Structure formats: C-alpha cells, structure tokens
Amino acid sequence: MIRIAPVGRALAVAAATSLALTACGGGGDTATQASESAAPASSSSSAPAAAKGDGTLTLGTLLPQTGSLAFLGPPEFAGVDLALKEINEAGGVLGKPVEKFDTDSGDTTTNIASQSVDKLLAQKADAIIGAASSSVSESVIDKITGAGVVHFSPANTSDKFTTINDHGLYFRTAPPDKLQGRVLGDLVVSDGNDTVAIMAMQDSYGTGLADQVEKTVTEAGAQVVERVDYDPKAPDFSADIAKIKAKNPKGVVLIGFEETAKVIGELVKQGMPASKHKWYMVDGNMSNTNYVKMPKGTLEGVKGTYPGASAPDSFRKDLVEVDPKLEDFTYAPESYDAANLIALAAEAAKSDAGADIAAKLAEVSKGGEKCKNFKECVDLLKAGKDIDYDGISGPVEFNEAGDPAVATIGIYQYGDDNKYPVKALEYRTGNIEG
C-alpha cells in the first residue's frame, strides 16, 4: 500500500471532512486499562468517515501498561501527562481543558490494543497517542484512521509506516529505523568489529531494523556471519545462540524487547559475555529496569542506540514530579512533543476534529516563528503568527509522510550497575532519507 503524498494527504483530509459523521458510541470511564479481547479491524483503503469535533480536544493514550514493552509505558505516560498539565495551565485548547483517557496497548500476543481502541473511539477521542510497538500500531491503524481519528505514535520506528495507507492521519515523533540502523551499523564497524552477528525479533520492527543494520555493516566492509530472526515468545534461545557462537563474531547486535534478558542470559551461559564479544542494543531493549537484577557488570561496556536529542535536566525533573517512581526516560520527550503538536494543530485549525488537526500538524512543525512549548507557541498563534514548534525530542518538522524529516540518535553505554546514564556518549543527527 502506498502512503498518500503531499497533495494526496490534503485531498484525503478534505474528503474525510466532506463525509457524513459515523457515530462511535457513548462515553466511558477515564484512565481505564483495557482487558477484554476484540478482533482487529480489517484492512481498508477507502477514505475514513469524518469525525466531527465537539469543541473539546480529547486525547486517548494507547501505551504499554503490560506486555513486552511495559517498561516504556511510565516515561511515555509521564510525557503526555506533563504536556497536558502545561497545556491546561495555559488555558487549554479552544478555550477548554484538554480531556484524556488512558488505555493499555498490551503487545502482539493479545488483542488488548484493539479493545482499547474501541474504548477510546467510544469516548470520542480526536487523536490517539500510541502505540509504542510498531507491530501493535500496525494492527490497529486501520481502525483508528478509518474512524477519522489522528493516530500519533511517539515510538513507532518501523519503516513500514512511511508508505502505509493511513488517509493522511498517521504521524510520529520517532524517526523511521533507517536512520537508527545506519547509526548503529556505523557504530558497530567503527568499534573494530569486522565480523558481526545479528539476533533480531521477527516482526516489522525487528526485521526492518536488522535489515538496515546488515546493509550498513556490509556496505562498510564488515561481514554479517550469522543472522537469527527469532520468535520472541520462544521458551528459550539456546539453539539460536549456539548458531551465533559457532561463527565466533566479534560483535553481536541484539534487536528485541524485554525477552532480550533471556537472550543475554543464554549468551553468558554459552561463554559469550560482553567482555569477550561486543554487544549492541537498540531502543526496544535499552532499559534501566530490565537488567538490574543480573550479576554486577553483566552489561558493562554494552552500547546501544535510541532516537532523541538530549533532554534538559529541567525536563527530567518535571517528569519525576509527574511520576516520582520514574526510572526510564525513553520516549518521554517524543510523547510530550506528540501531545503538544496535536494541541497546537487543533488551535491552528480552530477545530478538534481529527482531519482538521492532521491538516495542520506539518504546518505547526516547521516554517514559522520558532517556539519551544505550548504556552509560547499558542500565544504566537493567537497573535496571528505562523509557528515552528521545536520540541524536546528535536526539531520534528514533519515531511509529507508524517515522519520527522531530521532526527537525532543517541549512543549510550552501560556501566557495571547494568544501567546506562541519561546523557549519551554522543548524539548523531541526520536526514531520514540521507
């Protein structure tokens, strides 16, 4: 399926606003975790029904409270909550406080996400922030955009979303994996690894990122001696690690989610610790909570990448005030920026309807007077100015595909406490299409 190009996106939004309203049902509880299963929506390429605004911007979150990416949930929820706190303190959107409903995205082993989307549509969400998992978002994108609602992920990195049929309603603040894959592949080779093994979970995220890493490593003159695309639900990974061990690579790239802890345990068991073979990880398994119970020094020296510029200390402090238990900050900036951009687009459109918001998202992200928070930006809008929101996660600046055209990837390194610091070793910024 082909993603709608600039003119096509505008036509799709115009078509959506000209269609009759399709009712989504009544209201429901606020901040509710979904638990019942529902079948995912079938794929459709027809234009979505127009969701009319009611004057109140309503956001839904579809973020992981359970499942293989549950460790990403707290910082993502905190990012959205901090943005909404600031937005409502500044007077809200369209003169009213923004409303929010929280739900669980689960992961691809359940239908929690589909049921959660049903709940959010019934609660008349104008935009849904989530999911963290690319595969989960892929499973519900038809249902969300088919209802004329903005689907905005702070963490999807699969390249598939650049060309997916989304009716012009899908956006993300996390860059596609082609940039992270290039940065990670360059890092692996520059560290002196001329033989590399890749172990990647088998889904749109894992396979796509592994493809880009393999391409970059090979083009740089190194050799990928073994690649294993594995089932993340497998009971153990002993046979997979045995294949890698047989090739004796200098570097091992691990692409996955929380099951990476089991993979690491097997690497150590089979005599392939990070002290002998250089390990590399990615945003899906970079965590400060997933490995802390392992023996001290298990991850010492391990490097990994995840998207996003350096977040100011003041931002992290504000996040901790929202959630005092916060330990990971991954994708908090992207979640914060997603909520702010949606709110600013609604203000620019003078409407909370999904299609109207989508039509203004690119406009508020580039080309105007620069501003860095909702209050500063909305004051400019009310003064009749064109704005360019530069967020905590970076400049954003959506291209015609709803992707950030320019992005930053941080390179982090674990210490002997099996945690990585909030500041990266370095940050590399590049064009998505570079």
Side-chain angles (χ1 to χ4, degrees):
M1 293 185 289
I2 304 301
R3 182 159 188 139
I4 300 167
V7 174
R9 285 175 70 87
L11 290 174
V13 170
T17 56
S18 68
L19 295 173
L21 171 68
T22 298
C24 291
D29 298 334
T30 60
T32 302
Q33 176 176 327
S35 60
E36 299 175 13
S37 64
S42 60
S43 177
S44 172
S45 60
S46 60
K52 291 182 179 178
D54 59 7
T56 297
L57 178 61
T58 301
L59 297 183
T61 63
L62 180 69
L63 298 170
Q65 298 171 0
T66 61
S68 57
L69 282 182
F71 74 93
L72 289 181
E76 290 173 338
F77 279 112
V80 174
D81 290 345
L82 176 59
L84 261 61
K85 175 178 178 290
E86 295 174 355
I87 291 166
N88 287 336
E89 286 176 350
V93 172
L94 306 174
K96 296 180 181 179
V98 177
E99 294 187 357
K100 178 176 69 76
F101 298 92
D102 291 329
T103 66
D104 181 18
S105 65
D107 59 26
T108 54
T109 65
T110 69
N111 283 325
I112 289 175
S114 183
Q115 196 275 339
S116 291
V117 169
D118 287 341
K119 182 180 288 288
L120 293 174
L121 294 180
Q123 291 164 329
K124 300 182 180 179
D126 302 302
I128 293 176
I129 298 176
S133 163
S134 293
S135 292
V136 171
S137 285
E138 193 176 354
S139 75
V140 294
I141 189 170
D142 287 342
K143 182 176 286 190
I144 295 171
T145 62
V149 172
V150 171
H151 185 181
F152 199 134
S153 175
N156 289 165
T157 58
S158 170
D159 291 335
K160 282 190 175 182
F161 292 102
T162 299
T163 56
I164 203 165
N165 183 6
D166 63 357
H167 315 295
L169 293 171
Y170 177 88
F171 296 81
R172 53 179 165 182
T173 37
D177 276 326
K178 60 178 64 177
L179 180 58
Q180 183 178 192
R182 290 202 305 267
V183 171
L184 182 57
D186 287 341
L187 173 65
V188 170
V189 176
S190 66
D191 280 352
N193 300 293
D194 55 7
T195 55
V196 180
I198 299 173
M199 186 159 177
M201 65 184 296
Q202 194 167 27
D203 74 347
S204 61
Y205 165 76
T207 302
L209 185 48
D211 287 346
Q212 185 61 57
V213 172
E214 184 171 13
K215 179 176 183 289
T216 303
V217 166
T218 302
E219 289 177 349
Q223 183 182 4
V224 175
V225 294
E226 185 64 60
R227 172 170 166 176
V228 177
D229 288 27
Y230 66 87
D231 178 358
K233 300 186 293 293
D236 73 80
F237 302 100
S238 56
D240 296 326
I241 299 303
K243 290 180 183 178
I244 291 174
K245 182 179 180 180
K247 298 298 177 64
N248 193 32
K250 290 182 180 178
V252 180
V253 177
L254 305 175
I255 300 173
F257 293 157
E258 69 173 5
E259 80 286 346
T260 301
K262 293 182 179 179
V263 174
I264 287 174
E266 191 62 36
L267 282 167
V268 173
K269 182 179 178 181
Q270 295 198 29
M272 299 187 69
S275 58
K276 293 183 179 180
H277 302 262
K278 294 178 182 177
W279 299 349
Y280 298 86
M281 301 205 296
V282 292
D283 59 308
N285 50 25
M286 289 287 289
S287 171
N288 275 336
T289 58
N290 203 25
Y291 315 110
V292 291
K293 294 183 180 179
M294 291 182 173
K296 184 177 179 180
T298 299
L299 270 72
E300 185 174 6
V302 174
K303 294 179 182 178
T305 55
Y306 75 70
S310 176
D313 291 339
S314 59
F315 177 72
R316 289 192 293 272
K317 180 180 178 182
D318 290 342
L319 287 172
V320 172
E321 288 180 1
V322 169
D323 181 0
K325 297 180 180 179
L326 205 59
E327 295 184 61
D328 269 311
F329 296 91
T330 309
Y331 290 120
E334 287 80 4
S335 302
Y336 174 86
D337 288 344
N340 276 326
L341 284 159
I342 291 167
L344 290 169
E347 279 283 350
K350 296 181 171 56
S351 168
D352 62 298
D356 296 336
I357 292 170
K360 290 291 185 178
L361 273 166
E363 182 179 309
V364 299
S365 76
K366 60 185 176 182
E369 190 168 338
K370 290 190 179 296
C371 50
K372 295 184 179 296
N373 57 60
F374 178 81
K375 177 68 167 61
E376 183 182 342
C377 293
V378 80
D379 286 348
L380 289 171
L381 284 174
K382 289 178 178 178
K385 303 288 183 65
D386 183 20
I387 65 167
D388 178 357
Y389 175 81
D390 278 359
I392 299 293
S393 66
V396 187
E397 298 196 1
F398 293 119
N399 62 20
E400 67 274 9
D403 295 335
V406 178
T408 299
I409 306 295
I411 298 172
Y412 297 81
Q413 185 166 332
Y414 280 86
D416 65 358
D417 59 353
N418 299 327
K419 293 184 178 183
Y420 63 89
V422 294
K423 297 287 187 181
L425 288 173
E426 63 174 299
Y427 295 91
R428 299 184 185 180
T429 300
N431 295 318
I432 300 303
E433 299 299 333

